[in-house]
Amino acid sequence: MKNLLKMSDLSPAELTHILDVADQLKADCKAGRTAPLLAGKSVALLFSKASTRTRTSFEVGVYQMGGLGNYMNTAELQAGRGEPLRDTARVLGRYYDCAVWRTYRQRDLEELAELSGIPVINGLTDYAHPCQVLADLMTIRERRGTLAGLKLCFVGDGSNMANSLIVGGLLAGMQVSCVCPPGYRPAADVLIFAHKYGNAFHLTTDPAEGVRDADIVATAAWNTTAPGTAESEQRLRDFVGFQLTGRLLENAKPDALVLHCLPAHRGEEISTALFEQHADEIFDEAENRLHVQKAVLAVLLAGMMAWAGANGRLANAPQEIMGALLTPFQKAAQLLGGGVNGLLDKYVRIDQIIAENEALQQENQQLRDQLVEYDQLAAENKAFRDLLNIREENPQFQYASAFVISRDPLDRFGGFTIDQGTLNGVEKGDVVVSDK
């Protein structure tokens, strides 16, 4: 994978791998041990449209992985004053390691990828929203344990979310149904793609039919034009009956998930009651934008795809990653009796290895302390037994104190300092008697 411009850029194996990496990065993030996979890397964050989740999740994700994410409103660049895209692309390609662009036309995004020479990620276009759909699939797999065989239904406008969910769901082995009003069908090339999957895909204008027995029902805002405009009023009429409600969801499975890419227009594409009923999975879905986009960046920029192979997983990893991440735990790997590759059967788990090594060191120190304490107790016990024998055989020494000779010139068993004269002729283990 050189870019992520649309879901059909991915093979089923690449899709699964991104989700696997996202799961691992999420677990590492929750444990506070995110590796600096983007150390020294810079990412151009280009936005021609307003954004909340895409902008902030990319900014935070790049920062967490040690890179520089540079936000740019394209209206403030020279492109906003007429500089051709082909010039902007060739300049950015010389400054940055990767570019994320949220824009309108898919062909502009593809031109940026072609001319910049760096990996380009689609932050949303009118045609596709692959980062959102990867987050959707991640959320479904977290809650259901699998994707293959589940039924995914999308209800709404056949635009970017429908296009990407259809392709992503089919690549993941799901059954996909798409429910759109007449005149709002998905893109023609997406329908051609879906046709190859036969009965696994179903397009309908009947919401109840599409939702029937669904495991997951998804929607997105379908009225994004300015309120009160002719187009907005037309959409309100065209989408009557296409709102997700509790009554419509009665046709789905009882435990069906409800997903929404946000922002939500309550009372239009989804009822307020149904949104709040499924808020947990919807906001898990929003959070997973962060983790899945970090995974995409890791695959494109940090060689995570090369690491996933069964053989030679480090051979193609970037040198800076190997130097930054492997050196700190090579000794730990030796102590644990395994080679570096053996510790990376699935992903690099540096912090876990270091933590295990530190735990072993602490345990060894505790054992050494216990042995010292045991030796001291044994010496005290012997001295006490010897003293009892002396007292029994010599009543005049009934108030005597016993001292065990040790390397420490201060004998701590009686609080009495034994000077060098006292030690003359006395060997270690002998009892020194005082009538004081």
Side-chain angles (χ1 to χ4, degrees):
M1 183 177 73
K2 296 180 179 179
N3 305 287
L4 180 60
L5 307 180
K6 54 187 181 299
M7 288 302 296
S8 56
D9 288 344
L10 301 175
S11 68
E14 288 172 328
L15 170 60
T16 300
H17 180 65
I18 289 172
L19 298 182
D20 289 342
V21 174
D23 287 343
Q24 184 61 51
L25 292 177
K26 182 174 183 178
D28 289 347
C29 182
K30 298 295 185 182
R33 55 172 186 247
T34 301
L37 297 172
L38 299 187
K41 301 291 186 181
S42 57
V43 180
L45 304 174
L46 304 165
F47 285 80
S48 304
K49 304 177 72 171
S51 174
T52 298
R53 279 149 293 277
T54 301
R55 174 181 174 177
T56 55
S57 56
F58 268 112
E59 286 182 330
V60 171
V62 173
Y63 170 77
Q64 287 181 349
M65 293 196 290
L68 169 67
N70 188 12
Y71 168 79
M72 289 172 276
N73 182 337
T74 56
E76 298 174 355
L77 302 179
Q78 292 297 339
R81 300 174 59 187
E83 181 176 60
L85 173 58
R86 59 182 177 273
D87 293 352
T88 301
R90 287 179 285 189
V91 169
L92 295 179
R94 293 168 183 254
Y95 296 159
Y96 292 93
D97 299 288
C98 179
V100 178
W101 194 9
R102 183 181 182 94
T103 188
Y104 296 90
R105 298 189 302 182
Q106 181 74 15
R107 65 177 177 270
D108 289 343
L109 185 78
E110 293 173 356
E111 184 178 354
L112 175 66
E114 179 185 355
L115 296 177
S116 68
I118 58 176
V120 172
I121 299 171
N122 185 343
L124 177 141
T125 63
D126 292 344
Y127 171 78
H129 201 358
C131 290
Q132 178 63 57
V133 168
L134 287 170
D136 294 353
L137 296 176
M138 179 181 180
T139 306
I140 297 167
R141 198 172 73 159
E142 281 181 335
R143 288 177 169 261
R144 292 293 184 260
T146 188
L147 294 171
L150 297 180
K151 180 179 178 180
L152 167 65
C153 175
F154 176 80
V155 180
D157 188 0
S159 60
N160 47 24
M161 278 302 299
N163 293 335
S164 297
L165 272 172
I166 290 169
V167 176
L170 292 173
L171 286 174
M174 305 178 79
Q175 301 286 318
V176 180
S177 65
C178 184
V179 184
C180 306
Y184 294 90
R185 291 160 59 94
D189 62 318
V190 170
L191 295 179
I192 293 171
F193 175 92
H195 181 73
K196 297 184 298 184
Y197 288 81
N199 294 333
F201 175 70
H202 179 58
L203 178 65
T204 180
T205 58
D206 183 351
E209 177 188 350
V211 169
R212 186 172 297 116
D213 296 326
D215 298 284
I216 308 98
V217 181
T219 191
W222 40 252
N223 192 16
T224 56
T225 56
T229 62
E231 182 180 355
S232 175
E233 295 301 318
Q234 183 64 50
R235 283 178 169 265
L236 289 173
R237 290 190 293 271
D238 292 342
F239 280 87
V240 169
F242 287 81
Q243 181 184 113
L244 295 193
T245 62
R247 181 180 295 274
L248 178 60
L249 264 290
E250 291 176 359
N251 296 280
K253 290 183 179 177
D255 61 345
L257 301 177
V258 172
L259 299 181
H260 194 304
C261 60
L262 302 176
H265 296 179
R266 294 168 174 82
E268 291 187 359
E269 72 275 1
I270 189 169
S271 69
T272 298
L274 189 69
F275 182 94
E276 294 303 330
Q277 181 182 343
H278 293 272
D280 283 348
E281 59 245 44
I282 291 172
F283 288 103
D284 280 351
E285 173 191 10
E287 177 192 342
N288 284 341
R289 288 289 302 277
L290 169 66
H291 307 299
V292 84
Q293 289 163 190
K294 286 166 65 176
V296 172
L297 288 166
V299 169
L300 289 173
L301 297 181
M304 290 296 287
M305 190 67 73
W307 295 357
N311 299 311
R313 56 176 58 82
L314 295 179
N316 298 321
Q319 188 63 38
E320 61 269 27
I321 299 299
M322 293 177 67
L325 302 183
L326 299 185
T327 302
F329 68 86
Q330 286 175 340
K331 290 184 179 179
Q334 294 172 356
L335 288 173
L336 293 174
V340 174
N341 279 342
L343 298 174
L344 297 171
D345 285 339
K346 193 170 183 182
Y347 304 107
V348 177
R349 299 300 302 272
I350 306 164
D351 298 286
Q352 179 181 352
I353 302 304
I354 293 175
E356 290 178 2
N357 184 38
E358 290 175 350
L360 287 174
Q361 291 178 341
Q362 292 176 0
E363 186 176 342
N364 288 338
Q365 184 60 48
Q366 291 172 356
L367 289 173
R368 286 193 293 269
D369 292 343
Q370 290 173 3
L371 288 172
V372 170
E373 183 178 356
Y374 175 79
D375 290 340
Q376 291 175 345
L377 290 173
E380 288 184 43
N381 188 40
K382 182 178 183 304
F384 184 69
R385 289 199 308 271
D386 291 343
L387 177 60
L388 290 179
N389 292 335
I390 292 172
R391 285 175 173 169
E392 289 178 359
E393 298 173 0
N394 302 280
Q396 68 271 30
F397 294 141
Q398 59 180 317
Y399 298 110
S401 298
F403 303 94
V404 177
I405 308 305
S406 68
R407 292 188 182 92
D408 190 346
L410 175 63
D411 191 305
R412 284 165 284 187
F413 298 120
F416 179 82
T417 301
I418 305 173
D419 58 28
Q420 189 62 40
T422 306
L423 293 176
N424 288 338
V426 179
E427 296 179 357
K428 183 177 179 181
D430 288 349
V431 176
V432 178
V433 180
S434 169
D435 58 359
K436 294 182 181 180

Coordinates of all heavy atoms in Angstrom, one line a residue, residues 203-259:
L203 N -28.8 -3.8 -2.9 CA -29.1 -2.4 -2.9 C -30.6 -2.3 -3.0 O -31.3 -3.0 -3.8 CB -28.5 -1.8 -4.2 CG -28.8 -0.3 -4.4 CD1 -28.3 0.6 -3.3 CD2 -28.3 0.2 -5.8
T204 N -31.2 -1.5 -2.2 CA -32.7 -1.4 -2.1 C -33.1 0.1 -1.7 O -32.3 0.8 -1.2 CB -33.3 -2.4 -1.1 OG1 -34.7 -2.2 -1.1 CG2 -32.7 -2.1 0.3
T205 N -34.3 0.4 -2.0 CA -34.9 1.7 -1.6 C -35.8 1.5 -0.4 O -36.4 2.4 0.1 CB -35.7 2.3 -2.7 OG1 -36.7 1.4 -3.2 CG2 -34.7 2.6 -3.9
D206 N -36.0 0.3 0.1 CA -36.9 -0.1 1.2 C -36.1 -0.2 2.5 O -35.4 -1.2 2.7 CB -37.6 -1.4 0.9 CG -38.6 -1.7 2.0 OD1 -38.7 -1.1 3.0 OD2 -39.4 -2.7 1.7
P207 N -36.2 0.7 3.4 CA -35.4 0.6 4.7 C -35.7 -0.6 5.5 O -34.7 -1.3 6.0 CB -35.8 1.9 5.5 CG -36.2 2.9 4.4 CD -36.9 2.0 3.3
A208 N -36.9 -1.0 5.6 CA -37.2 -2.2 6.4 C -36.6 -3.5 5.8 O -36.1 -4.3 6.5 CB -38.7 -2.4 6.5
E209 N -36.6 -3.5 4.5 CA -36.0 -4.7 3.8 C -34.5 -4.7 4.0 O -33.9 -5.7 4.3 CB -36.3 -4.6 2.3 CG -35.7 -5.7 1.5 CD -35.9 -5.5 0.0 OE1 -36.6 -4.6 -0.4 OE2 -35.2 -6.2 -0.8
G210 N -33.9 -3.6 3.9 CA -32.4 -3.5 4.0 C -31.9 -3.8 5.4 O -30.9 -4.5 5.6
V211 N -32.7 -3.4 6.4 CA -32.3 -3.5 7.8 C -32.6 -4.9 8.3 O -32.0 -5.4 9.3 CB -33.0 -2.5 8.7 CG1 -32.9 -2.7 10.1 CG2 -32.5 -1.1 8.3
R212 N -33.4 -5.7 7.6 CA -33.9 -7.0 8.1 C -32.7 -7.9 8.5 O -31.8 -8.1 7.7 CB -34.8 -7.7 7.1 CG -35.4 -9.0 7.7 CD -36.4 -9.5 6.7 NE -37.6 -8.6 6.6 CZ -37.9 -8.0 5.4 NH1 -37.2 -8.2 4.3 NH2 -38.9 -7.1 5.4
D213 N -32.7 -8.3 9.8 CA -31.7 -9.3 10.3 C -30.2 -8.7 10.3 O -29.3 -9.5 10.3 CB -31.7 -10.6 9.5 CG -33.0 -11.3 9.7 OD1 -33.6 -11.2 10.8 OD2 -33.5 -12.0 8.8
A214 N -30.1 -7.4 10.2 CA -28.8 -6.8 10.2 C -28.1 -6.9 11.6 O -28.8 -6.8 12.6 CB -28.9 -5.3 9.8
D215 N -26.8 -7.2 11.6 CA -26.0 -7.1 12.8 C -25.6 -5.7 13.2 O -25.3 -5.4 14.3 CB -24.8 -8.0 12.7 CG -25.2 -9.5 12.4 OD1 -25.6 -10.1 13.4 OD2 -25.1 -9.9 11.3
I216 N -25.4 -4.9 12.1 CA -24.9 -3.5 12.3 C -25.7 -2.6 11.3 O -25.9 -3.0 10.2 CB -23.4 -3.4 11.9 CG1 -22.6 -4.4 12.7 CG2 -23.0 -1.9 12.2 CD1 -22.2 -5.6 11.9
V217 N -26.2 -1.5 11.8 CA -26.9 -0.6 11.0 C -26.2 0.8 11.1 O -26.0 1.3 12.3 CB -28.4 -0.4 11.4 CG1 -29.1 0.6 10.5 CG2 -29.1 -1.7 11.4
A218 N -25.8 1.3 10.0 CA -25.0 2.6 10.0 C -25.7 3.6 9.2 O -26.5 3.3 8.3 CB -23.6 2.3 9.4
T219 N -25.5 4.9 9.6 CA -26.0 6.0 8.8 C -25.1 7.2 8.9 O -24.0 7.1 9.6 CB -27.4 6.4 9.4 OG1 -28.0 7.3 8.4 CG2 -27.3 7.1 10.7
A220 N -25.4 8.2 8.2 CA -24.6 9.4 8.1 C -25.5 10.6 7.8 O -26.6 10.4 7.3 CB -23.4 9.3 7.1
A221 N -25.0 11.8 8.1 CA -25.8 13.0 7.8 C -26.1 13.0 6.3 O -25.2 12.9 5.5 CB -25.1 14.2 8.2
W222 N -27.3 13.2 5.9 CA -27.7 13.3 4.4 C -28.2 14.7 4.1 O -28.5 15.0 2.9 CB -28.7 12.3 4.0 CG -29.8 12.0 5.0 CD1 -30.0 10.9 5.7 CD2 -31.0 12.8 5.2 NE1 -31.1 10.9 6.4 CE2 -31.8 12.1 6.2 CE3 -31.4 14.1 4.8 CZ2 -33.0 12.6 6.7 CZ3 -32.6 14.6 5.3 CH2 -33.4 13.9 6.2
N223 N -28.2 15.6 5.0 CA -28.7 17.0 4.7 C -27.6 18.0 5.2 O -27.8 18.6 6.3 CB -30.0 17.3 5.4 CG -30.6 18.6 4.9 OD1 -30.2 19.1 3.9 ND2 -31.6 19.1 5.6
T224 N -26.5 18.1 4.5 CA -25.4 18.9 4.9 C -25.4 20.3 4.3 O -24.5 21.1 4.5 CB -24.1 18.2 4.6 OG1 -24.0 17.9 3.2 CG2 -24.0 16.9 5.4
T225 N -26.4 20.6 3.5 CA -26.5 21.9 2.9 C -27.1 22.9 3.9 O -27.6 22.5 4.9 CB -27.3 21.9 1.6 OG1 -28.6 21.4 1.9 CG2 -26.7 21.0 0.5
A226 N -26.9 24.2 3.5 CA -27.4 25.2 4.5 C -28.9 25.1 4.7 O -29.7 25.0 3.7 CB -27.1 26.6 3.9
P227 N -29.4 25.2 5.9 CA -30.8 25.1 6.2 C -31.6 26.2 5.5 O -31.1 27.3 5.3 CB -30.9 25.3 7.7 CG -29.5 24.9 8.2 CD -28.6 25.3 7.1
G228 N -32.8 25.8 5.0 CA -33.6 26.8 4.3 C -33.4 26.9 2.8 O -34.2 27.5 2.1
T229 N -32.3 26.3 2.3 CA -32.0 26.4 0.9 C -32.9 25.4 0.1 O -33.5 24.5 0.7 CB -30.5 26.1 0.6 OG1 -30.3 24.8 1.0 CG2 -29.6 27.1 1.3
A230 N -33.0 25.6 -1.2 CA -33.9 24.8 -2.0 C -33.4 23.3 -1.9 O -34.2 22.4 -1.8 CB -33.9 25.3 -3.4
E231 N -32.1 23.1 -2.0 CA -31.5 21.8 -1.9 C -31.8 21.1 -0.6 O -32.2 19.9 -0.5 CB -30.0 21.8 -2.2 CG -29.4 20.3 -2.2 CD -27.9 20.3 -2.4 OE1 -27.3 21.4 -2.7 OE2 -27.4 19.2 -2.4
S232 N -31.7 21.9 0.5 CA -31.9 21.3 1.8 C -33.4 20.9 2.0 O -33.7 19.8 2.4 CB -31.6 22.4 2.9 OG -32.0 21.9 4.2
E233 N -34.3 21.7 1.5 CA -35.7 21.4 1.6 C -36.1 20.2 0.7 O -36.9 19.3 1.1 CB -36.6 22.6 1.1 CG -36.4 23.8 2.1 CD -36.9 23.5 3.5 OE1 -37.9 22.8 3.6 OE2 -36.2 23.9 4.4
Q234 N -35.4 20.1 -0.5 CA -35.6 18.9 -1.3 C -35.2 17.6 -0.7 O -35.8 16.6 -0.7 CB -34.9 19.1 -2.7 CG -35.1 18.0 -3.7 CD -36.6 17.9 -4.1 OE1 -37.2 18.9 -4.5 NE2 -37.2 16.7 -4.0
R235 N -34.0 17.7 0.0 CA -33.5 16.5 0.7 C -34.4 16.1 1.8 O -34.6 14.9 2.0 CB -32.1 16.7 1.2 CG -31.0 16.7 0.0 CD -29.6 16.9 0.5 NE -28.7 16.6 -0.5 CZ -28.0 15.4 -0.6 NH1 -28.3 14.5 0.3 NH2 -27.2 15.2 -1.6
L236 N -34.9 17.0 2.5 CA -35.9 16.7 3.6 C -37.1 15.9 3.1 O -37.6 15.0 3.7 CB -36.3 18.0 4.4 CG -35.2 18.6 5.2 CD1 -35.8 20.0 5.7 CD2 -34.8 17.7 6.4
R237 N -37.5 16.3 1.9 CA -38.7 15.6 1.3 C -38.2 14.2 0.8 O -38.9 13.2 1.0 CB -39.2 16.4 0.2 CG -40.0 17.7 0.6 CD -40.7 18.3 -0.5 NE -39.8 18.8 -1.6 CZ -39.3 20.1 -1.5 NH1 -39.6 20.9 -0.6 NH2 -38.5 20.5 -2.5
D238 N -37.1 14.2 0.1 CA -36.6 12.9 -0.5 C -36.3 11.8 0.5 O -36.4 10.6 0.2 CB -35.4 13.2 -1.4 CG -35.7 14.0 -2.6 OD1 -36.9 14.1 -2.9 OD2 -34.8 14.6 -3.2
F239 N -35.8 12.2 1.7 CA -35.4 11.2 2.7 C -36.5 10.9 3.8 O -36.1 10.3 4.8 CB -34.1 11.7 3.4 CG -32.9 11.5 2.5 CD1 -32.5 12.4 1.6 CD2 -32.1 10.3 2.7 CE1 -31.4 12.2 0.8 CE2 -31.0 10.1 1.9 CZ -30.6 11.0 1.0
V240 N -37.7 11.3 3.5 CA -38.8 10.9 4.5 C -38.8 9.4 4.5 O -38.8 8.7 3.5 CB -40.1 11.5 4.0 CG1 -41.3 10.8 4.8 CG2 -40.1 13.0 4.1
G241 N -38.8 8.8 5.7 CA -38.8 7.4 5.9 C -37.5 6.7 6.0 O -37.4 5.5 6.2
F242 N -36.4 7.5 5.8 CA -35.0 6.9 5.9 C -34.3 7.3 7.2 O -33.1 7.3 7.2 CB -34.2 7.4 4.6 CG -34.7 6.8 3.4 CD1 -35.8 7.2 2.7 CD2 -34.0 5.7 2.8 CE1 -36.2 6.6 1.5 CE2 -34.4 5.1 1.7 CZ -35.5 5.6 1.0
Q243 N -35.1 7.7 8.2 CA -34.5 8.0 9.5 C -34.3 6.7 10.3 O -35.3 5.9 10.3 CB -35.3 9.0 10.2 CG -34.8 9.4 11.6 CD -35.7 10.3 12.3 OE1 -36.3 9.9 13.4 NE2 -35.9 11.5 11.8
L244 N -33.2 6.5 11.0 CA -33.0 5.4 11.9 C -33.8 5.7 13.1 O -33.6 6.7 13.8 CB -31.6 5.2 12.2 CG -30.6 4.8 11.1 CD1 -29.3 4.3 11.7 CD2 -31.2 3.6 10.3
T245 N -34.8 4.8 13.4 CA -35.6 4.9 14.6 C -35.7 3.6 15.3 O -35.3 2.5 14.8 CB -37.0 5.4 14.3 OG1 -37.6 4.4 13.4 CG2 -37.0 6.7 13.5
G246 N -36.2 3.6 16.5 CA -36.4 2.4 17.2 C -37.4 1.4 16.5 O -37.1 0.2 16.5
R247 N -38.4 2.0 15.9 CA -39.3 1.1 15.1 C -38.6 0.5 13.9 O -38.8 -0.7 13.7 CB -40.5 2.0 14.7 CG -41.6 1.2 13.9 CD -42.7 2.1 13.5 NE -43.4 2.6 14.6 CZ -44.4 2.0 15.2 NH1 -44.8 0.8 14.8 NH2 -45.0 2.5 16.3
L248 N -37.8 1.2 13.2 CA -37.1 0.6 12.0 C -36.2 -0.5 12.5 O -36.0 -1.5 11.9 CB -36.4 1.7 11.3 CG -35.5 1.2 10.1 CD1 -36.4 0.6 9.0 CD2 -34.8 2.4 9.4
L249 N -35.5 -0.2 13.6 CA -34.5 -1.2 14.1 C -35.1 -2.5 14.7 O -34.4 -3.5 14.9 CB -33.7 -0.6 15.2 CG -32.3 0.0 14.8 CD1 -31.3 -1.1 14.4 CD2 -32.5 1.0 13.7
E250 N -36.5 -2.5 14.8 CA -37.1 -3.8 15.2 C -36.9 -4.8 14.1 O -37.1 -6.0 14.4 CB -38.6 -3.5 15.4 CG -38.9 -2.7 16.6 CD -40.4 -2.4 16.8 OE1 -41.2 -2.8 15.9 OE2 -40.8 -1.7 17.8
N251 N -36.6 -4.4 12.9 CA -36.4 -5.4 11.8 C -35.0 -6.0 11.9 O -34.7 -7.0 11.3 CB -36.6 -4.7 10.4 CG -38.0 -4.2 10.2 OD1 -38.8 -5.0 9.8 ND2 -38.2 -2.9 10.4
A252 N -34.1 -5.3 12.6 CA -32.7 -5.8 12.7 C -32.6 -6.8 13.8 O -33.6 -7.1 14.5 CB -31.7 -4.7 13.0
K253 N -31.5 -7.4 14.0 CA -31.3 -8.3 15.1 C -31.4 -7.6 16.4 O -31.1 -6.4 16.5 CB -30.0 -9.0 15.0 CG -29.9 -10.0 13.9 CD -28.6 -10.8 13.8 CE -28.6 -11.8 12.7 NZ -27.2 -12.5 12.6
P254 N -31.9 -8.3 17.5 CA -32.2 -7.6 18.8 C -30.9 -6.9 19.4 O -31.1 -5.8 20.0 CB -32.6 -8.7 19.7 CG -33.2 -9.7 18.8 CD -32.3 -9.7 17.6
D255 N -29.7 -7.4 19.1 CA -28.5 -6.8 19.7 C -27.7 -6.0 18.6 O -26.5 -5.8 18.7 CB -27.6 -7.9 20.3 CG -27.2 -8.9 19.2 OD1 -27.8 -9.0 18.1 OD2 -26.2 -9.7 19.5
A256 N -28.4 -5.5 17.6 CA -27.7 -4.9 16.5 C -27.0 -3.6 17.0 O -27.5 -2.9 17.8 CB -28.7 -4.5 15.4
L257 N -25.8 -3.4 16.4 CA -25.1 -2.2 16.7 C -25.6 -1.1 15.8 O -26.0 -1.3 14.7 CB -23.6 -2.4 16.4 CG -22.8 -3.5 17.2 CD1 -21.4 -3.5 16.7 CD2 -22.9 -3.2 18.7
V258 N -25.5 0.2 16.3 CA -25.8 1.3 15.5 C -24.6 2.2 15.4 O -24.0 2.6 16.5 CB -27.0 2.1 16.1 CG1 -27.2 3.4 15.3 CG2 -28.3 1.3 16.0
L259 N -24.2 2.6 14.2 CA -23.0 3.4 14.0 C -23.4 4.7 13.3 O -24.3 4.7 12.5 CB -21.9 2.7 13.2 CG -21.4 1.4 13.8 CD1 -20.3 0.7 12.9 CD2 -20.8 1.6 15.2

